[in-house]
């Protein structure tokens, strides 16, 4: 390889203090980039805390491909040499190890053979993983301080919170759920509400109560993978209903109700996972009318419902007599806050579902529930929601500006992005190409109830910090700008 050398402009117009010189090497170029970072740290040319040039700037200066630099930075981060900081850039770690680290791959003839992998440093926050659908992290110091203060207050009752609690939630916790759901335009009474250990736990209980093995349930043709997994565990058949830009087609649902009566309709009506479709108010009413006519229960998974401002009211507000409503907080406050509020149509359902929950999860974690109750009561939860909504909107704007193709279907407040692939690309080859660059996505097969699955993928915009997300999106756009044959990772 020829010698590569670059001098980089900084964001304020001065020459960047680091001059990267990559001498001839038989190693892959991205490994050479990581090596020169390590070498320059060792000899003092890169000081702890030094800011590295942006990936695109470095690629232009060295006259190499953008994805090469992106993989070089990922390799350096894997070795513990550098770190990304939200909204600031990429920096040399203050206490980075300079012990030589085996590269992730070594050239052998014309092939590239994976090398033994050293342990990943626990401090690495993200490896460009756009597969897990979780909200962006909170990084506002004042809000973080407020969150920590609430956690400290909860800790004052630590001894009591380490004991068994009332099944279905204590009265103050159920009232917190009532208050939280009121913000969604859903008036409920606390005696019809159960506090559960997350949406998955609540969904498991509802499906187990409504259907027995061999029964049918309906869902979107592209639906939440957790629903598919639970249905398989419970021995239920899932019938996928076609959708348009307004969600499930009512005529298709009515036809199934006439010919293959289901026990329930499951839907994720607001910012649907994976497509981000939001059922219109008219479509919600039409589905409710059909379900009521045929005596079919509706299971409304409103995981993302709090994110949009001024969106349609929950289906449970239209039909409280037939809708089992699940309002989880993990997608709108923090993925580790495994709390969901389950609202049931009738009082008898409380006892039925309480027995199921007691047998499967015993109870929601008292510490976690107490923290949710505290944050809802003092307004911290609303502030977290507003921050996540604002950051999600910003990341959608970034994605729309980077990714190619027609106007996306994704809604502004969603932190996931549904990407139909251009002609020539298959979802499997696209995922394999990105996997070769250590970038994780989810292909449509994970969501598809019917076959064949569409040529599309879901990207999560919240799992990494903003700079890492931007870099991953640029890598995806660059990959899609080339014919699949040129991007293939297969030998």
């Amino acid at each position: 390889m020829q010698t590569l050398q670059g001098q980089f402009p900084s964001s304020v117009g001065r020459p960047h203090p680091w001059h990267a010189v990559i001498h001839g090497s038989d190693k892959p170029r991205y490994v050479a980039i990581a090596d020169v970072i390590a070498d320059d740290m060792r000899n003092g040319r890169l000081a702890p805390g030094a800011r590295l040039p942006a990936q695109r700037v470095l690629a232009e200066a060295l006259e190499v491909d953008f994805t090469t630099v992106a993989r070089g930075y990922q390799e350096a981060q894997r070795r513990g040499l550098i770190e990304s900081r939200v909204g600031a850039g990429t920096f040399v770690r203050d206490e980075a190890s300079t012990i030589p680290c085996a590269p992730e791959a070594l050239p052998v003839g014309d092939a590239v053979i994976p090398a033994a992998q050293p342990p990943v440093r626990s401090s690495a926050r993200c490896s460009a993983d756009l597969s897990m659908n979780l909200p962006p992290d909170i990084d506002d110091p004042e809000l973080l301080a407020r969150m920590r203060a609430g956690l400290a207050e909860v800790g004052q009752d630590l001894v009591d919170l380490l004991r068994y609690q009332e099944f279905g939630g204590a009265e103050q916790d159920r009232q917190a759920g009532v208050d939280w759901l009121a913000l969604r335009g859903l008036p409920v009474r606390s005696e019809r509400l159960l506090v559960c250990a997350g949406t998955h736990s609540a969904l498991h209980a509802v499906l187990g109560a409504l259907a027995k093995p061999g029964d049918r349930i309906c869902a979107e043709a592209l639906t939440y993978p957790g629903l598919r997994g639970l249905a398989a565990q419970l021995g239920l058949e899932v019938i996928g209903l076609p959708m348009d830009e307004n969600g499930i087609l009512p005529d298709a649902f009515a036809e199934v109700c006439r010919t293959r009566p289901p026990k329930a309709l499951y839907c994720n009506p607001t910012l649907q996972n994976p497509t981000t479709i939001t059922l219109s108010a008219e479509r919600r009413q039409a589905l409710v009318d059909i379900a009521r006519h045929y005596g079919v229960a509706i299971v409304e998974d409103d995981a993302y419902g709090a994110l949009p401002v001024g969106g349609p009211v929950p289906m449970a507000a239209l039909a409280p007599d037939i809708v089992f409503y699940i309002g989880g907080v993990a997608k709108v406050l923090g993925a580790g806050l495994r709390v969901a509020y389950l609202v049931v149509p009738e009082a008898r359902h409380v006892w039925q579902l309480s027995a199921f929950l007691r047998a499967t999860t015993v109870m929601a974690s008292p510490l976690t529930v107490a923290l949710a109750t505290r944050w809802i009561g003092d307004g911290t939860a609303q502030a977290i929601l507003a921050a996540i909504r604002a950051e999600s909107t910003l990341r959608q704007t970034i994605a729309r500006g980077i990714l190619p193709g027609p106007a996306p279907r994704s809604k502004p407040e969603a932190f996931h992005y549904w990407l139909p692939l251009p002609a020539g690309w298959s979802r499997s080859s696209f995922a394999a190409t990105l996997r070769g660059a250590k970038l994780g996505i989810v292909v449509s097969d994970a969501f598809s109830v019917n076959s064949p699955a569409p040529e599309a993928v879901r990207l999560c915009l919240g799992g990494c910090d903003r700079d890492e997300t931007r870099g991953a999106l640029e890598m995806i756009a660059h990959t899609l700008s080339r014919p699949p044959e040129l991007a293939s990772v297969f030998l």
Side-chain angles (χ1 to χ4, degrees):
M1 180 189 296
Q2 75 273 24
T3 296
L4 303 177
Q5 182 169 351
Q7 179 175 339
F8 316 102
S10 72
S11 58
V12 293
R14 300 189 307 271
H16 195 282
W18 182 50
H19 301 264
V21 179
I22 302 176
H23 298 287
S25 170
D26 291 331
K27 296 180 181 179
R29 288 185 176 185
Y30 77 93
V31 175
I33 290 172
D35 286 348
V36 78
I37 291 173
D39 291 342
D40 286 357
M41 290 170 60
R42 195 176 292 114
N43 59 35
R45 283 195 291 267
L46 271 177
R51 187 179 188 276
L52 294 177
Q55 295 175 14
R56 190 167 296 283
V57 172
L58 180 56
E60 292 174 355
L62 295 179
E63 298 181 349
V64 298
D65 194 84
F66 168 80
T67 55
T68 299
V69 175
R71 292 190 69 185
Y73 275 26
Q74 288 172 0
E75 172 66 13
Q77 184 169 358
R78 188 185 67 83
R79 300 184 194 183
L81 304 174
I82 62 176
E83 63 184 358
S84 294
R85 300 177 188 170
V86 176
T90 305
F91 296 82
V92 175
R93 286 181 54 82
D94 290 336
E95 297 179 357
S97 168
T98 57
I99 299 174
C101 176
E104 66 173 24
L106 295 172
V108 179
D110 293 329
V112 176
I113 307 299
Q117 295 291 315
V120 177
R121 293 175 64 97
S122 60
S123 58
R125 292 187 64 253
C126 178
S127 226
D129 185 1
L130 306 189
S131 63
M132 292 299 293
N133 206 29
L134 64 163
D137 289 340
I138 300 299
D139 63 353
D140 178 70
E142 292 186 6
L143 181 53
L144 284 170
R146 185 174 174 182
M147 294 164 66
R148 292 187 181 105
L151 181 59
E153 286 294 327
V154 167
Q156 299 298 314
D157 298 322
L158 183 59
V159 173
D160 287 340
L161 293 174
L162 292 178
R163 297 173 177 166
Y164 285 113
Q165 307 292 311
E166 183 179 346
F167 292 112
E171 175 58 32
Q172 68 269 23
D173 299 321
R174 287 186 282 116
Q175 186 58 50
V178 169
D179 296 341
W180 180 250
L181 298 183
L183 300 175
R184 280 285 293 121
L186 181 60
V188 299
R189 300 198 305 269
S190 63
E191 60 267 24
R192 297 282 179 87
L193 184 147
L194 291 166
V195 182
C196 303
T199 293
H200 210 73
S201 171
L203 183 57
H204 188 199
V206 172
L207 293 178
L210 291 177
K212 63 182 184 299
D215 284 341
R216 292 179 289 269
I217 60 173
C218 289
E220 304 99 333
L222 294 166
T223 195
Y224 169 49
L227 180 276
R228 297 181 62 203
L230 286 174
Q233 289 287 332
L234 294 170
L236 307 179
E237 177 188 356
V238 182
I239 301 174
L241 300 176
M243 300 181 288
D244 62 12
E245 66 276 6
N246 290 314
I248 294 172
L249 297 176
D251 288 346
F253 178 43
E255 178 64 20
V256 171
C257 289
R258 282 193 299 269
T259 60
R260 306 170 66 193
K263 292 294 184 180
L265 166 65
Y266 167 88
C267 60
N268 181 201
T270 303
L271 302 182
Q272 194 254 357
N273 181 17
T275 66
T276 80
I277 290 173
T278 292
L279 278 172
S280 65
E282 295 76 15
R283 192 63 59 88
R284 292 175 191 232
Q285 187 64 59
L287 293 172
V288 161
D289 291 344
I290 294 167
R292 184 178 279 124
H293 177 77
Y294 287 100
V296 176
I298 294 177
V299 182
E300 182 177 13
D301 179 359
D302 204 25
Y304 308 93
L307 286 171
V309 176
V313 298
M315 299 172 77
L318 303 176
D321 56 315
I322 62 171
V323 175
F324 290 78
Y325 177 90
I326 305 173
V329 303
K331 300 298 187 183
V332 293
L333 297 182
L337 202 64
R338 309 303 298 175
V339 176
Y341 303 111
L342 169 59
V343 181
V344 300
E346 300 177 21
R348 64 183 177 87
H349 295 127
V350 172
W351 299 105
Q352 184 181 11
L353 291 169
S354 292
F356 195 101
L357 289 165
R358 188 181 297 113
T360 54
T361 58
V362 182
M363 62 181 180
S365 165
L367 279 166
T368 305
V369 172
L371 182 60
T373 297
R374 174 75 187 189
W375 281 352
I376 292 169
D378 67 11
T380 301
Q382 293 88 322
I384 296 171
L385 172 61
I388 289 173
R389 181 188 295 128
E391 182 64 22
S392 298
T393 301
L394 175 60
R395 295 191 184 199
Q396 281 285 343
T397 301
I398 292 171
R400 290 165 188 247
I402 293 174
L403 296 176
R409 178 182 285 173
S410 297
K411 298 298 188 294
E413 304 91 345
F415 48 77
H416 55 286
Y417 192 103
W418 186 241
L419 180 65
L421 298 177
W425 277 101
S426 72
R427 57 196 185 276
S428 59
S429 63
F430 183 65
T433 299
L434 295 182
R435 188 163 55 246
K438 300 183 69 174
L439 199 162
I441 59 171
V442 184
V443 297
S444 58
D445 302 77
F447 311 97
S448 184
V449 177
N450 306 324
S451 295
E455 299 296 351
V457 299
R458 188 198 69 185
L459 314 176
C460 176
L461 307 180
C464 303
D465 69 36
R466 193 187 302 162
D467 285 343
E468 290 168 331
T469 301
R470 187 193 302 273
L473 293 172
E474 288 176 342
M475 183 183 296
I476 288 171
H478 180 79
T479 300
L480 291 175
S481 70
R482 298 180 293 170
E485 296 78 11
L486 296 180
S488 175
V489 298
F490 299 106
L491 300 174

